[in-house]
């Protein structure tokens, strides 16, 4: 579940984000791209509230020192902790990802900045603006993200 949110928010911040691996996550290595893992109530769609709850949890996981800010080093460490490998350098660095969301320019990501980005990503993915993400909407967003990252 925490791995999926990495993919969901990746349209703005990239796949660096991860969370503490739950027993479910650990059992499902490679489950990062299963779109409905954030669906907590089993209705086969992800609500705005479900999405925001996962974003908050993800931020708390990345904020290793609990100071209310996520640095590039913390983001990289969270990625390595969950994925078991260092962040690939093919995409944007953690610092670049933070810079895109860092509205106050302090070089770190606050919970508010992270939450605002998560809300923006949700809105961009919610093609019919009904407040829910379906498998198709998430798949479309991931395909768009893949097209953006594969451009020369």
């Amino acid at each position: 579940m925490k791995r999926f949110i990495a993919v969901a928010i990746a349209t703005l911040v990239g796949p660096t984000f991860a969370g503490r691996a739950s027993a479910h996550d650990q059992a499902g290595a490679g489950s990062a791209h299963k779109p409905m893992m954030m669906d907590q109530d089993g209705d086969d769609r992800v609500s705005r509230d479900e999405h925001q709850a996962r974003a908050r949890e993800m931020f708390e996981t990345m904020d290793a020192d609990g100071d209310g800010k996520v640095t590039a080093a913390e983001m990289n460490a969270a990625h390595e902790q969950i994925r078991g490998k260092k962040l690939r350098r093919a995409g944007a660095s953690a610092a670049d990802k933070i810079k895109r969301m860092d509205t106050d320019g302090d070089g770190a990501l606050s919970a508010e900045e992270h939450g605002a980005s998560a809300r923006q990503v949700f809105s961009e993915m919610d093609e019919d603006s009904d407040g829910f993400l379906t498998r198709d909407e998430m798949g479309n967003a991931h395909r768009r993200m893949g097209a953006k990252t594969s451009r020369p």
Side-chain angles (χ1 to χ4, degrees):
M1 199 176 289
K2 293 173 187 153
R3 289 188 200 147
F4 172 73
I5 205 160
V7 176
I9 295 182
T11 55
L12 287 178
V13 298
T16 299
F17 288 114
R20 288 184 192 93
S22 66
H24 174 75
D25 292 334
Q26 291 171 359
S31 61
H33 299 287
K34 293 182 180 177
M36 300 316 289
M37 293 178 70
M38 291 170 35
D39 176 18
Q40 294 296 298
D41 61 9
D43 66 353
D44 205 33
R45 58 191 187 163
V46 176
S47 71
R48 189 176 310 276
D49 289 342
E50 288 169 326
H51 190 266
Q52 278 300 124
R54 299 306 289 161
R56 279 189 302 276
E57 186 175 318
M58 182 175 53
F59 181 86
E60 291 168 4
T61 297
M62 290 187 300
D63 183 16
D65 63 8
D67 69 351
K69 297 279 187 171
V70 172
T71 64
E74 286 174 317
M75 189 182 287
N76 283 329
H79 184 273
E80 191 168 349
Q81 173 190 350
I82 298 306
R83 301 280 180 156
K85 59 185 175 184
K86 292 186 183 226
L87 182 64
R88 290 186 313 219
R89 290 293 168 201
S93 70
D96 290 338
K97 292 170 188 172
I98 287 173
K99 189 174 184 177
R100 281 184 275 194
M101 294 182 288
D102 182 16
T103 57
D104 65 8
D106 68 353
L109 183 62
S110 70
E112 293 78 22
E113 290 165 332
H114 183 259
S117 291
R119 287 187 296 277
Q120 180 179 348
V121 167
F122 184 94
S123 293
E124 290 173 3
M125 293 173 67
D126 186 12
E127 296 168 356
D128 60 6
S129 300
D130 68 350
F132 295 92
L133 301 178
T134 64
R135 290 178 192 271
D136 287 342
E137 287 172 325
M138 286 188 268
N140 292 342
H142 298 157
R143 281 187 289 282
R144 286 190 304 268
M145 182 187 73
K148 286 180 186 176
T149 60
S150 63
R151 290 182 189 149

